């Protein structure tokens, strides 16, 4: 039976989506960018959280600016050099920065979302959250709603959808994404990765796309991550595999699998220096899409667009 619970822990107000029959629990924090805080699954006689989140509110306040763990990335993801872009013949400069000179991951990574709906039945448990952006930043003066829905399904499956609704009087540029980190407790150097892509976006030294797409097929089959640095964008081939990406732990025999639909054609992968977790991000476009136009979405006035992905975890 599915259920929804709300509680306060470690400084956070948390929404839990629960599958009590199978001891599954997904935790979301509306006050901090609708953050995916935990995805707890049984592992033997113990519980395993496959999300690398924050241990407390103090941990979040200290480290959010470095890792953006679990943040919603909107209306753009990754970097925009100088915060500058041109849209419909006019230049804009984003005002909001995480640090001086660092325009990254949009405008919603630290805002509080409102709870729109919480409900559970015999089929699933659902939480819908919304942030109404009013166009406050002069560099993005376009009002829009960002509505996020988490849906815990049977078979340890979490579906996540984001709907962007344009309330501006003109079309607006949109790039959507997520920044969750995943872990099984096993170091990344002992893990394996597979993803359905044969193309990597070429970056310059500042991790900005050059405009070129290069061949890359190292992870078409499950391959060890030992010693491999990753901070890259890959273009997914949706006809190649049933899933787009699978992270495997051969020591604990756990697989975490990702199922974005075609609304998320870019897979962004990042292993931080500590190599204890990996960011597996579904994006609508690669970095600097507002300038290079790669997969950039022009959302007409009054219209909405939904982007969807799924995550599952299972023993193997």
């Amino acid at each position: 039976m599915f259920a929804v619970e709300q509680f306060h822990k470690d400084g956070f107000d948390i929404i839990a989506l629960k599958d009590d029959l199978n001891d599954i629990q997904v935790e979301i924090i509306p006050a901090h960018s609708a953050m995916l805080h935990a995805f707890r699954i049984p592992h033997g006689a113990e519980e395993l959280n496959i999300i690398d989140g924050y241990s407390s509110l103090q941990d979040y306040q200290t480290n959010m600016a470095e890792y953006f763990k679990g943040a919603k990335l909107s209306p753009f993801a990754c970097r925009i050099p100088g915060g500058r872009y041109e849209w419909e013949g006019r230049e804009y400069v984003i005002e909001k920065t995480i640090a001086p000179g660092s325009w990254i991951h949009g405008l919603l990574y630290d805002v509080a979302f409102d709870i729109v709906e919480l409900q559970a039945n015999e089929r699933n448990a659902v939480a819908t959250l919304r942030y109404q952006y009013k166009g406050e930043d002069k560099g993005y003066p376009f009002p829009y709603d960002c509505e996020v829905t988490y849906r815990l399904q049977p078979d340890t499956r979490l579906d996540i959808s984001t709907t962007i609704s344009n309330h501006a009087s003109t079309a607006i540029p949109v790039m959507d994404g997520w920044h969750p980190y995943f872990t099984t407790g096993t170091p990344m150097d002992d893990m394996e990765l597979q993803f359905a892509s044969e193309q990597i976006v070429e970056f310059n030294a500042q991790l900005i796309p050059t405009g070129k797409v290069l061949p890359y097929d190292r992870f078409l089959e499950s391959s060890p991550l030992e010693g491999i640095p990753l901070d890259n964008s890959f273009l997914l081939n949706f006809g190649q595999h049933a899933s787009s990406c699978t992270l495997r732990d051969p020591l604990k025999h756990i697989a975490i699998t990702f199922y974005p639909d075609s609304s998320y054609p870019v897979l962004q992968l990042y292993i931080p220096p500590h190599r204890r977790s990996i960011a597996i991000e579904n994006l609508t476009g690669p970095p600097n899409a507002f300038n290079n136009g790669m997969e950039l979405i022009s959302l007409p006035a009054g219209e909405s667009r939904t982007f969807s992905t799924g995550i599952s975890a299972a023993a193997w």
Side-chain angles (χ1 to χ4, degrees):
M1 187 66 176
F2 290 92
V4 178
E5 181 182 343
Q6 293 178 264
F7 58 91
H8 185 85
K9 184 179 180 182
D10 300 320
F12 296 122
D13 290 318
I14 296 171
I15 296 170
L17 306 181
K18 305 176 72 173
D19 176 354
D20 290 325
L21 181 63
N22 297 296
D23 294 324
I24 310 296
Q25 180 163 307
V26 169
E27 296 175 10
I28 305 144
I29 302 178
H32 301 293
S33 191
M35 175 169 50
L36 178 58
H37 179 59
F39 191 158
R40 304 184 190 278
I41 64 173
H43 182 248
E46 303 194 356
E47 175 188 84
L48 178 65
N49 178 15
I50 62 170
I51 301 298
D52 179 11
Y54 298 98
S55 62
S56 66
L57 180 58
Q58 182 178 359
D59 181 22
Y60 170 85
Q61 293 168 339
T62 301
N63 296 304
M64 187 280 290
E66 182 173 2
Y67 293 115
F68 293 87
K69 291 193 289 189
K72 182 65 203 167
L73 311 183
S74 178
F76 65 90
C78 307
R79 299 162 182 82
I80 295 182
R84 296 179 180 274
Y85 68 98
E86 186 176 294
W87 182 248
E88 295 190 338
R90 179 178 172 183
E91 184 178 77
Y92 296 91
V93 181
I94 300 292
E95 296 178 319
K96 184 173 183 175
T97 61
I98 194 65
S102 180
W103 292 267
I104 189 169
H105 292 332
L107 305 173
L108 307 190
Y109 52 75
D110 59 353
V111 303
F113 279 62
D114 295 321
I115 299 172
V116 176
E117 180 184 27
L118 303 176
Q119 64 98 3
N121 53 40
E122 67 278 4
R123 298 183 303 277
N124 54 40
V126 181
T128 299
L129 313 172
R130 180 187 299 144
Y131 184 79
Q132 296 177 301
Y133 174 74
K134 303 297 185 182
E136 302 92 336
D137 194 304
K138 293 179 181 178
Y140 195 85
F142 313 114
Y144 73 96
D145 286 357
C146 179
E147 187 169 283
V148 180
T149 297
Y150 290 94
R151 187 181 304 272
L152 181 60
Q153 310 259 42
D155 300 320
T156 321
R157 166 92 177 219
L158 176 66
D159 287 340
I160 306 166
S161 66
T162 299
T163 298
I164 303 297
S165 300
N166 180 9
H167 296 302
S169 59
T170 63
I172 63 174
V174 171
M175 178 193 179
D176 190 79
W178 286 92
H179 211 281
Y181 286 73
F182 295 87
T183 179
T184 62
T186 298
M188 284 299 111
D189 285 331
D190 295 322
M191 301 283 279
E192 297 177 358
L193 185 68
Q194 173 271 324
F195 55 87
S197 174
E198 299 172 60
Q199 295 181 301
I200 186 173
V201 179
E202 185 183 60
F203 287 175
N204 64 19
Q206 288 73 47
L207 301 178
I208 304 300
T210 65
K212 295 181 180 180
V213 177
L214 305 176
Y216 187 96
D217 61 2
R218 180 170 193 159
F219 290 99
L220 277 179
E221 303 297 331
S222 190
S223 300
L225 281 169
E226 183 177 5
I228 297 176
L230 281 173
D231 194 352
N232 303 94
S233 292
F234 302 89
L235 304 185
L236 292 171
N237 180 345
F238 290 98
Q240 194 169 54
H241 293 277
S243 63
S244 71
C245 180
T246 301
L247 179 68
R248 292 184 177 88
D249 183 338
L251 302 180
K252 295 182 177 177
H253 298 283
I254 295 170
I256 305 170
T257 306
F258 301 82
Y259 303 90
D261 69 15
S262 60
S263 63
Y264 283 126
V266 175
L267 181 69
Q268 179 82 13
L269 300 171
Y270 170 60
I271 300 178
H274 58 66
R275 298 188 67 83
R276 295 189 300 271
S277 62
I278 179 172
I280 300 178
E281 311 164 44
N282 293 135
L283 306 180
T284 62
N288 202 28
F290 274 29
N291 286 305
N292 58 43
M294 296 176 70
E295 305 289 347
L296 181 63
I297 295 163
S298 176
L299 185 62
E303 294 193 12
S304 299
R305 185 86 173 261
T306 297
F307 314 101
S308 299
T309 189
I311 305 165
S312 68
W316 58 279

